[in-house]
Amino acid sequence: MTYPGEITRRQLLRRIGMAAFVAGPGAGLLSACATGGAGGGSAAPTTSIAASADAKNPFGVDARKPLEVVIFSGGYKDSYAKDLHEELYKKAFPGVSIKHTGTQQIGTQLRPRIVGGDVPDVLNNSGPDALDLAALAAEGHLADLAPLFDAPSIDDPAKKVRDTVTPAVIVNAKINDRDLVLNYTVSHRALWYNAKLFASKGWTLPKTWAEFTALGDTAKAEGILLFAYPGQKGPYYQLWNVLYTAAKIGGNQVLIDIDNLVDNAWNADGMRQAVAAWVDIQAKYGDKAYFGLDHTQTQVKQLQNELLFYPVGSWIENEMEKDKPADFEYAIAPIPDVTAADKMPYGAIQVGVGENFVVGAKGKNPQGGLEYLRIMLSKEGARGFTMKTRNLTVVNGAANGLDLPAGLMSAAKAQDAAGQNIITDARFEGWYKELFDYGTEQINVVMAGRITPEQFCTNMQRKADDIKQDEAVAKQTRSQ
């Protein structure tokens, strides 16, 4: 049964089964991201694999060569790689040996290896310990993915791989104007809550900041926190939240200026207002004890209805599936209007591509690495990923016909309601990891009240200026 204002599963799949990201009212929304730019540094040459004439083996993979795959075992776990993508690779090359590693310590495990020249063929670079991709690119460690995007797709050899994915994949692949990164998933980052709790209490989602704080008072009287984020292994969740709130207030230009290292970008009105608003929420409705919790511990607290809103992405539903009680139903809430003059209306939501995959240019089997990614971008590989992780991929139409969970349905409905009001990604996370890491430190400091919102913005701007002036750091630019 469909109620007024709801969307059917068929409509959902038409919108988030990836076709909606290519054509129709949402066209270009996900592609409104970065374009790599030159300047301020240079990148080492990348490995480029010459394409062969064989559509079934366009990279000339040697079936006798083993393949090494390293996966970030976070919200998506790593069984999608071990039990699906790697098995598909073995089916294509019978008898091949694959070394699989699933870890949450990507940087800790791989930095010493990379320094020693021992590089995996496929790397899912994600999580709080992710490697600096711009630095890897500068050292020539990332293989050129242009041959992958120009290769025939597995499902239809008459089509290139680039024509089977949302355009944001190609736009976001670039570092220094080279296609070096594959973003594999479509995610929605916003405030997540328990729809069943709200229904049982008769609460409605707050649309204004006054309604948000009023709900905070109501929840506080019942011993429930309005909001919390993990201070350990997850403060970047709150950094994202502040950045997207700033875009809600001042428009996407706030994020574009930050990414482009524009002078005084961190001191923009929207940024200062966003930080001040969330610091005030923490002071009045938060609990500093959460600064000592990691993301899993904080997420369990939400499952126990000890907090209402949690700033995270759509991977949360799969990550907590085994712990989720029957009376908990994940749903997504847009950021409430912070001011009466917010440039983006209530309902604006962040939608982006993410979950980075790269191929090691100096690995033992870069040809196999490219083929592995091509298999991931097949409908079988993408559909299987969605079934295992309950998250969408960037492959057009791969989710058609799947029975999707409540949280993902909620995110799709929110995206539908947002229309053109899509908050873009903040790209400096991948471009200038030092700046992003500094931001994750500073967000804890300001949220704890140890510095003011003005000091936070000043500190971030000073760090951005240092990076801008550092000629050793390759600079990137985006126009939208």
Side-chain angles (χ1 to χ4, degrees):
M1 181 175 183
T2 302
Y3 296 93
E6 290 189 338
I7 58 174
T8 66
R9 181 170 283 109
R10 181 182 298 275
Q11 290 171 322
L12 164 70
L13 293 173
R14 189 166 61 244
R15 296 180 192 278
I16 64 174
M18 310 310 10
F21 293 150
V22 180
L29 296 180
L30 284 181
S31 60
C33 298
T35 53
S42 60
T46 58
T47 293
S48 185
I49 307 299
S52 74
D54 185 356
K56 292 185 178 181
N57 188 10
F59 313 117
V61 176
D62 183 345
R64 297 167 297 179
K65 277 191 175 182
L67 188 77
E68 183 180 5
V69 179
V70 177
I71 299 294
F72 173 67
S73 184
Y76 299 132
K77 309 296 193 297
D78 66 338
S79 67
Y80 71 85
K82 185 166 52 179
D83 301 331
L84 173 65
H85 296 150
E86 291 171 20
E87 290 302 313
L88 290 174
Y89 188 91
K90 290 177 182 177
K91 183 179 178 181
F93 304 102
V96 71
S97 171
I98 297 181
K99 179 183 178 182
H100 172 94
T101 301
T103 178
Q104 293 193 16
Q105 304 297 320
I106 294 293
T108 301
Q109 288 199 17
L110 291 185
R111 283 188 192 96
R113 288 185 52 186
I114 292 172
V115 170
D118 181 17
V119 184
D121 302 305
V122 177
L123 169 61
N124 168 211
N125 186 56
S126 190
D129 194 33
L131 293 163
D132 186 333
L133 290 182
L136 290 179
E139 294 297 320
H141 285 297
L142 305 185
D144 186 1
L145 300 187
L148 166 68
F149 297 141
D150 288 329
S153 72
I154 289 176
D155 300 298
D156 182 359
K159 286 185 177 180
K160 293 181 178 181
V161 169
R162 69 172 64 247
D163 297 324
T164 67
V165 297
T166 175
V169 171
I170 310 303
V171 176
N172 283 267
K174 297 187 182 301
I175 298 177
N176 296 314
D177 285 329
R178 297 186 178 98
D179 295 327
L180 302 178
V181 183
L182 169 65
N183 290 276
Y184 190 58
T185 63
V186 175
S187 63
H188 303 73
R189 296 175 189 165
L191 302 173
W192 288 78
Y193 70 102
N194 180 4
K196 288 187 175 180
L197 174 64
F198 271 61
S200 69
K201 298 286 188 181
W203 294 339
T204 57
L205 287 181
K207 293 184 177 182
T208 67
W209 213 252
E211 291 175 356
F212 191 48
T213 56
L215 179 59
D217 292 331
T218 300
K220 191 174 184 178
E222 298 193 24
I224 305 173
L225 295 179
L226 174 65
F227 167 85
Y229 74 95
Q232 302 296 318
K233 296 185 179 180
Y236 58 92
Y237 287 177
Q238 177 58 6
L239 180 58
W240 284 338
N241 189 39
V242 167
L243 288 164
Y244 300 144
T245 302
K248 168 80 169 64
I249 299 170
N252 280 326
Q253 192 63 45
V254 174
L255 302 182
I256 294 170
D257 288 347
I258 285 174
D259 288 345
N260 287 341
L261 301 178
V262 171
D263 291 345
N264 228 27
W266 284 93
N267 287 312
D269 289 343
M271 194 69 221
R272 289 188 293 101
Q273 290 170 324
V275 179
W278 283 110
V279 167
D280 184 63
I281 290 296
Q282 174 66 36
K284 293 179 179 177
Y285 305 104
D287 183 345
K288 289 185 178 179
Y290 281 75
F291 293 154
L293 303 184
D294 63 24
H295 62 293
T296 301
Q297 293 167 322
T298 306
Q299 288 156 197
V300 168
K301 292 281 190 183
Q302 187 183 34
L303 293 179
Q304 297 168 342
N305 289 326
E306 294 187 28
L307 64 104
L308 292 187
F309 294 105
Y310 181 64
V312 71
S314 45
W315 57 83
I316 181 69
E317 192 165 27
N318 179 68
E319 187 170 10
M320 303 306 293
E321 179 61 27
K322 291 182 179 178
D323 301 302
K324 185 169 66 68
D327 64 349
F328 195 101
E329 180 180 294
Y330 279 111
I332 198 169
I335 297 168
D337 291 339
V338 183
T339 76
D342 284 5
K343 287 193 176 180
M344 301 187 80
Y346 175 76
I349 194 169
Q350 192 275 343
V351 184
V353 294
E355 205 63 20
N356 296 330
F357 285 81
V358 296
V359 172
K362 300 178 183 180
K364 297 179 178 65
N365 191 3
Q367 294 88 352
L370 291 179
E371 181 62 20
Y372 184 90
L373 297 191
R374 192 171 77 110
I375 288 171
M376 287 176 57
L377 294 172
S378 68
K379 285 190 177 180
E380 184 177 5
R383 183 182 180 86
F385 178 91
T386 297
M387 292 172 67
K388 282 182 172 292
T389 68
R390 301 188 175 208
N391 281 268
L392 295 171
T393 74
V394 295
V395 179
N396 299 334
N400 288 346
L402 293 182
D403 186 13
L404 300 175
L408 195 53
M409 294 286 286
S410 170
K413 183 178 178 181
Q415 182 180 332
D416 180 65
Q420 298 287 337
N421 299 302
I422 299 297
I423 299 172
T424 187
D425 289 311
R427 298 299 311 284
F428 75 94
E429 176 181 356
W431 288 351
Y432 312 113
K433 191 172 187 295
E434 183 180 351
L435 179 60
F436 187 79
D437 288 348
Y438 182 71
T440 65
E441 297 171 3
Q442 289 294 298
I443 201 68
N444 267 351
V445 176
V446 71
M447 292 295 287
R450 298 199 296 272
I451 60 175
T452 66
E454 291 76 16
Q455 288 172 317
F456 170 86
C457 292
T458 297
N459 292 348
M460 292 302 298
Q461 187 58 52
R462 184 181 298 117
K463 189 68 171 179
D465 290 342
D466 289 344
I467 290 172
K468 184 176 182 177
Q469 294 164 12
D470 188 345
E471 295 182 357
V473 178
K475 306 305 188 296
Q476 315 293 325
T477 58
R478 57 182 289 191
S479 60
Q480 57 180 339

